[in-house]
Amino acid sequence: MGFPSNIFNSHSKKDGDFFLGMTKILGFKPKKLDYYKRAFLHRSANIKDKDGTPMNYERLEFLGDSMLGTIISKHLYDQVPEGDEGYLTKMRSKIVSRKHLNELGKDLELIKFVQSRIPKTHFGENIHGNVFEALVGAIYLDRGYKYCEKFISQQVIDPYVDIEQLEGKVISYKSLIIEWCQKQKKTFDYNVYEDTGNDTLKHFAVKLTIGGKVMAKARATSKKKAEERASKRAYYALQDRMEKS
Amino acid sequence: MGFPSNIFNSHSKKDGDFFLGMTKILGFKPKKLDYYKRAFLHRSANIKDKDGTPMNYERLEFLGDSMLGTIISKHLYDQVPEGDEGYLTKMRSKIVSRKHLNELGKDLELIKFVQSRIPKTHFGENIHGNVFEALVGAIYLDRGYKYCEKFISQQVIDPYVDIEQLEGKVISYKSLIIEWCQKQKKTFDYNVYEDTGNDTLKHFAVKLTIGGKVMAKARATSKKKAEERASKRAYYALQDRMEKS
């Protein structure tokens, strides 16, 4: 596809950093880096290809959105054999909701790769989910269906999709902890930070402090999952006191 | 997945016929016939699996609908590099419209495979498109993404998707012929019949008669394309007379 050299110099230091950044997020090496560059190109950058067609991530977003829906559909089909068409449709909407995708894109800090002419602080919330979808589109073009499936399984399904929680059958431990702290007038803090260590994929660590005391620590591939894990640990540690209250 | 033996006897004569029928429509041999059987199982058949979960094609329809959308998205992405997200979305809706899918399902005569307890004449129009989508879902489960792509390319894209015609840039030859016949008060008849011959895939032949005289014949993988091809031939044969009128 070819980018104007003033924006992306081939084999530049910047390209090398971008390649490493992508590899960490994807869990595999990109073949054609251009697809991924386009996935982060905001329309405000106002870049055109040699035919004068505007280049930005919106077409990739269209493609990624569709692929994401298909892979989530397949996952639900396999995981919930008793769910009818209406159930499957409803659950898919929850998983690929704007809110959910924005959370995902934010956790992966995709915004730091965005190329634009407007300041990043001026973007709305949806930029996070939009570039996440565009990234899926780029994977589809670069490596095909199988890699999309693997990426979505690692980055969306494993860390974020808990069918029982989505169905509302299981209450979250985090909400139990927060409720209890509020009732007991105790301060609480979820301190989440990146802690990838030697892992191929990005990881998060969380330190949960209640009433000034560190109650639990946990580590996972998403902020949400790490928080939930720490909450569960704190819940069991506090169980006697929580049940009496 | 296992069907009650009263409906589908394994290795029965009926199974053999179904296998041959599917092979002709798919252009390849099914591996697990059960997926395809389910794709034609109407809810009125009221069949349940061993856990008591109703079995019918609706879950497969959910899956196939999504996969169909993804493959059409990819096709449009590749074919129309200058189309923005809005254009791509609009064109995809046209291609996967209910009307279009019903036409497809009808041409393939999918309804003859449907298992139901209500008479087939009682079904609405949408059954044709619905089982077409379910069939895509069955292919996805049986053979994966690549076979879906191949099937959709052969059965949807090649015979039905003409981007210029969808954009309204090219008028159809069939409509030119019909308009001219009506103006000239001439009778016309498109006689379409299946003529697969030695082809692996189903084919259609059409004989276009105008004012009692056979004006053109054509053959293609869809009724629509065969009619359009015959109309184009008749148009060129009649061109002098048509332009003078």
Side-chain angles (χ1 to χ4, degrees), chain A residues 32-219:
Chain A
K32 284 195 183 165
L33 209 55
D34 275 356
Y35 290 130
Y36 301 91
K37 286 178 182 172
R38 189 179 282 215
F40 295 102
L41 206 50
H42 189 261
R43 61 155 61 218
S44 70
N46 205 18
I47 295 178
K48 293 190 168 62
D49 68 11
K50 58 182 189 330
D51 303 318
T53 307
M55 293 210 296
N56 56 58
Y57 62 65
E58 294 171 24
R59 281 164 47 87
L60 284 173
E61 192 190 333
F62 163 82
L63 200 56
D65 165 74
S66 190
M67 183 47 102
L68 181 63
T70 295
I71 289 169
I72 298 297
S73 301
K74 173 72 161 62
H75 174 76
L76 289 169
Y77 187 95
D78 292 340
Q79 291 303 305
V80 197
E82 70 284 5
D84 67 10
E85 197 188 352
Y87 171 92
L88 298 173
T89 306
K90 204 174 80 186
M91 291 299 276
R92 184 179 58 193
S93 311
K94 281 192 185 184
I95 297 170
V96 300
S97 70
R98 226 4 69 189
K99 184 172 162 268
H100 207 162
L101 297 184
N102 288 341
E103 189 186 353
L104 253 162
K106 258 191 220 171
D107 278 9
L108 294 172
E109 293 175 86
L110 297 180
I111 202 165
K112 72 183 181 203
F113 301 109
V114 171
Q115 302 280 332
S116 69
R117 287 221 177 131
I118 55 174
K120 289 181 186 178
T121 47
H122 288 206
F123 289 126
E125 270 297 284
N126 289 346
I127 182 108
H128 305 286
N130 294 347
V131 294
F132 179 80
E133 289 180 330
L135 182 59
V136 174
I139 299 169
Y140 188 10
L141 295 180
D142 186 39
R143 307 295 297 258
Y145 173 82
K146 284 278 170 206
Y147 276 77
C148 284
E149 196 182 34
K150 197 178 144 195
F151 174 75
I152 292 169
S153 176
Q154 273 182 348
Q155 293 290 21
V156 186
I157 297 171
D158 291 350
Y160 290 89
V161 177
D162 179 328
I163 289 171
E164 294 204 313
Q165 217 167 68
L166 286 168
E167 280 179 342
K169 279 187 192 158
V170 177
I171 197 160
S172 91
Y173 286 100
K174 189 180 174 188
S175 68
L176 289 175
I177 292 291
I178 294 176
E179 202 185 307
W180 184 77
C181 289
Q182 286 168 341
K183 225 159 116 188
Q184 303 288 317
K185 306 214 187 317
K186 283 186 187 291
T187 59
F188 64 91
D189 175 57
Y190 285 88
N191 179 22
V192 191
Y193 47 96
E194 197 187 318
D195 176 22
T196 301
N198 292 322
D199 293 298
T200 329
L201 272 177
K202 198 170 202 166
H203 274 71
F204 297 94
V206 64
K207 195 158 70 181
L208 168 57
T209 313
I210 295 178
K213 194 185 153 198
V214 176
M215 282 304 300
K217 288 179 179 176
R219 216 172 148 267

Side-chain angles (χ1 to χ4, degrees), chain B residues 171-188:
Chain B
I171 198 161
S172 92
Y173 285 99
K174 190 181 173 188
S175 68
L176 288 175
I177 292 290
I178 294 177
E179 205 184 307
W180 184 77
C181 289
Q182 285 169 340
K183 226 159 117 186
Q184 302 288 318
K185 306 209 189 319
K186 283 186 188 291
T187 60
F188 63 92

